[in-house]
Amino acid sequence: IERELIYKLAVTTGLRKSEIASLTVGQLDLDRDCPQVTLNAADEKNRQGNSIPLRSDVADELRQWVSSFGSGTRRNTLSIFNRGESDNSTASKLFNVPHDLSKVFERDRAVAGIAKQDDRGRTVDVHALRHTFGTMLSKSGVSPRVAQAAMRHSSLDLTMNVYTDPRLLDVQGAVESLPEFTLTNDPA
């Protein structure tokens, strides 16, 4: 369940592997109206530190995950990584992200029957979850500037031309949403 939650967090937030690996329980704010996780500037690629909004279902799953810290196997795993800190410490690592997550993801991808490459030769890997996040934002009708902010990109071009797959966008639906224009024989 831990890997599933890591993958789900990546695809619903756009967090990178290193950012997810850096998260501690204390960086979660799950009980507010808009649940979020706060990245430390040192752990983020752009070194700014940001609050990342969480979907409510993801917040619920994270809440359950954190509550499991006090139980058996999970407690033993945590003690290895927390160097003797108490299991309920806010400094406890949220996940045990394997250093070789790419290899683990590759095995999970194969078991799930997902092709290694698409018809354009693009490779499916852990970072592809971030690309999926960008494309899902566009498919959901999120404005480009909001998508840029959600992905924490410095340029709109990066968000729209690298992290959004135009072949997955509903261009036909966009055209159909235009108002209808009726042709008449009236020259006016």
Side-chain angles (χ1 to χ4, degrees), residues 158-176:
L158 182 62
T159 305
M160 294 291 99
N161 294 321
V162 176
Y163 283 86
T164 302
D165 185 347
R167 288 185 13 179
L168 298 178
L169 302 179
D170 184 14
V171 177
Q172 179 65 40
V175 171
E176 292 294 336

Side-chain angles (χ1 to χ4, degrees), residues 23-96:
L23 293 177
T24 63
V25 173
Q27 290 171 271
L28 298 175
D29 193 351
L30 304 176
D31 295 322
R32 58 187 298 162
D33 289 338
C34 300
Q36 64 185 21
V37 60
T38 302
L39 289 175
N40 295 323
D43 297 325
E44 190 177 28
K45 186 177 178 182
N46 67 11
R47 301 288 187 233
Q48 292 179 352
N50 278 285
S51 293
I52 311 298
L54 298 171
R55 288 176 45 99
S56 58
D57 61 314
V58 175
D60 290 343
E61 290 173 352
L62 286 170
R63 198 175 292 105
Q64 290 174 349
W65 176 251
V66 170
S67 72
S68 74
F69 281 17
S71 63
T73 305
R74 180 78 179 127
R75 181 176 52 236
N76 294 337
T77 301
L78 280 172
S79 64
I80 294 169
F81 294 99
N82 294 327
R83 298 177 180 85
E85 296 174 29
S86 74
D87 293 335
N88 294 324
S89 170
T90 58
S92 297
K93 285 288 187 186
L94 184 59
F95 299 113
N96 174 20

